[in-house]
């Protein structure tokens, strides 16, 4: 039998996510973190299982991001599927840009120590992907307070 904790999302990650949405002075009980840990883990298993069933029917062994988005939608989580699909496209664009830069020989190790150079602009990971995370949190907060 597999240890039950192996199947659960790490509780530190759950607590960190919970803290992001709460006011800075809010406290979170151990019981609340454990409850959310179990719920999040169950949700991930539920969606992944649906995606895995689809892959099995299509004789594929690898579940990909599109399969997860399809599963979210087919299970009635259309709002999540929309957001995840946008994130997935942004992630793919970011990875494509990075791969092209690597092919052309651009990478972070090429920086010199010249004092004349301007400070580097934020990377694509912080400019493209981080705003989407903020939008998700804003949407959750708007729903809670409306």
């Amino acid at each position: 039998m597999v240890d039950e904790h192996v199947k659960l999302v790490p509780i530190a990650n759950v607590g960190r996510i919970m803290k992001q949405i709460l006011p800075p002075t809010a406290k979170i009980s151990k019981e609340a973190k454990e409850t959310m840990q179990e719920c999040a883990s169950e949700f991930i298993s539920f969606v992944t299982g649906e995606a895995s069933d689809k892959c099995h029917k299509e004789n594929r062994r690898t579940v990909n991001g599109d399969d997860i988005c399809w599963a979210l939608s087919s299970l009635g989580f259309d709002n999540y599927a929309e957001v995840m699909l946008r994130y997935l496209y942004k992630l793919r664009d970011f990875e494509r840009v990075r791969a092209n830069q690597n092919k052309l020989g651009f990478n972070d190790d090429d920086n010199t120590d010249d004092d004349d150079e301007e400070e580097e602009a934020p990377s694509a990971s912080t400019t493209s992907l981080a705003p989407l995370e903020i939008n998700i949190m804003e949407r959750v907060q708007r729903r809670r307070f409306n």
Side-chain angles (χ1 to χ4, degrees):
M1 182 174 149
V2 178
D3 186 17
E4 188 64 28
H5 292 289
V6 174
K7 294 181 182 181
L8 298 176
V9 176
I11 199 157
N13 295 355
V14 173
R16 197 172 312 115
I17 293 167
M18 291 174 75
K19 282 182 181 181
Q20 288 175 357
I21 196 78
L22 294 171
T25 57
K27 304 259 188 228
I28 306 169
S29 72
K30 182 179 178 185
E31 179 188 32
K33 289 178 191 175
E34 289 172 350
T35 302
M36 284 302 295
Q37 179 188 37
E38 290 178 28
C39 290
S41 299
E42 185 61 34
F43 180 75
I44 291 168
S45 295
F46 182 54
V47 173
T48 304
E50 187 75 10
S52 178
D53 290 348
K54 176 184 188 274
C55 291
H56 182 73
K57 288 175 187 169
E58 296 175 359
N59 294 318
R60 293 188 293 122
R61 294 174 50 184
T62 304
V63 174
N64 62 38
D66 292 308
D67 297 320
I68 297 297
C69 293
W70 175 88
L72 284 166
S73 185
S74 73
L75 293 168
F77 299 105
D78 295 316
N79 291 342
Y80 293 106
E82 261 179 52
V83 173
M84 289 293 291
L85 207 50
R86 279 186 298 192
Y87 182 84
L88 183 61
Y89 290 149
K90 285 185 178 220
L91 177 64
R92 288 176 179 162
D93 285 344
F94 170 74
E95 289 176 341
R96 189 174 17 261
V97 167
R98 187 170 52 185
N100 288 337
Q101 288 175 344
N102 287 342
K103 282 181 187 175
L104 296 172
F106 298 114
N107 62 32
D108 292 336
D109 296 335
D110 291 342
N111 293 338
T112 61
D113 290 325
D114 294 341
D115 291 336
D116 301 331
E117 290 187 29
E118 291 182 23
E119 193 171 310
E120 234 180 272
S123 70
S125 65
T126 57
T127 57
S128 301
L129 302 179
L132 185 57
E133 295 172 1
I134 293 168
N135 290 338
I136 293 168
M137 296 306 246
E138 287 173 1
R139 180 182 282 178
V140 169
Q141 287 177 336
R142 270 186 263 136
R143 270 197 212 135
R144 277 184 39 213
F145 296 112
N146 289 337

